[in-house]
Amino acid sequence: GHAEDALDRLAAARFDVLFSDVSLPGISGVELARQALQRTPSMHVIFASGYGDALLRHLDFPYQSLQKPYEIEQLQAALAAIASAAGEASSV
């Protein structure tokens, strides 16, 4: 789908994690993340990219990235890190 479709879904429900490609039809995954974070500042962002982190280096929000091609275990590790951080934040 397009990033605009994702924004519609993000507006309709609460999500804890945004997992997006950096390159999308329409607006970029980075712009999608910016707009999503404006609505839900506590959302975590994971990017997938075949171009490395060069496009992400100067972002002003926290994110994790997976280099394509990635293994499902790498995605699981990223999600586990988010869950762990969320657990630590809620126990403080």
Side-chain angles (χ1 to χ4, degrees), residues 20-74:
S20 175
D21 201 300
V22 173
S23 300
L24 297 173
I27 66 172
S28 71
V30 171
E31 184 57 28
L32 169 63
R34 284 189 198 287
Q35 291 187 35
L37 288 166
Q38 285 177 354
R39 297 175 186 187
T40 310
S42 62
M43 184 179 294
H44 297 270
V45 177
I46 304 172
F47 288 116
S49 176
Y51 303 103
D53 285 347
L55 298 173
L56 304 174
R57 284 196 186 121
H58 304 293
L59 295 186
D60 56 356
F61 57 84
Y63 66 90
Q64 294 188 55
S65 64
L66 300 176
Q67 179 68 32
K68 292 182 186 177
Y70 56 86
E71 301 292 330
I72 190 68
E73 292 81 8
Q74 292 171 287

